[in-house]
Amino acid sequence: LVWEIVKAFEVDSCIIRTLEEDGNLKLLGAVGVEGMTIAPLIPAFYGISRGILEDRAPVVIEDAATHPLTSLLYAKGKNVPGRFVFE
């Protein structure tokens, strides 16, 4: 499924999570983020997820270096492998 989304939207990466009853987002699958640490569970209303759930709309990040939701994380970890870790 994740590969199909990557192909359909012509993007470099995709992470799919489900909203669990305990309020966490559980990792289902990921493509294009190999070599990065991805937390298996994250709080639902944290970071990028918060905006998605509040607005009930997808978030497209075309450039992590300049997007308001990721630019600070990008700047902090630009030389650190696995820099986009949301825990």
Side-chain angles (χ1 to χ4, degrees):
L1 175 64
V2 183
W3 278 109
E4 294 301 317
I5 292 170
V6 167
K7 287 190 316 187
F9 287 95
E10 299 178 355
V11 294
D12 297 324
S13 61
C14 176
I15 298 172
I16 298 178
R17 296 182 180 271
T18 57
L19 181 59
E20 301 294 303
E21 289 182 19
D22 63 1
N24 286 312
L25 294 171
K26 181 180 177 182
L27 179 66
L28 288 185
V31 170
V33 289
E34 291 76 15
M36 294 185 184
T37 303
I38 302 173
L41 288 173
I42 60 172
F45 288 95
Y46 177 77
I48 296 168
S49 306
R50 180 182 197 155
I52 294 169
L53 292 169
E54 286 177 350
D55 298 339
R56 299 228 176 254
V59 171
V60 176
I61 299 172
E62 293 185 21
D63 184 349
T66 60
H67 194 280
L69 292 172
T70 56
S71 61
L72 291 176
L73 293 169
Y74 184 87
K76 278 185 186 178
K78 64 181 175 183
N79 295 317
V80 179
R83 63 185 169 264
F84 295 113
V85 178
F86 300 101
E87 296 180 337

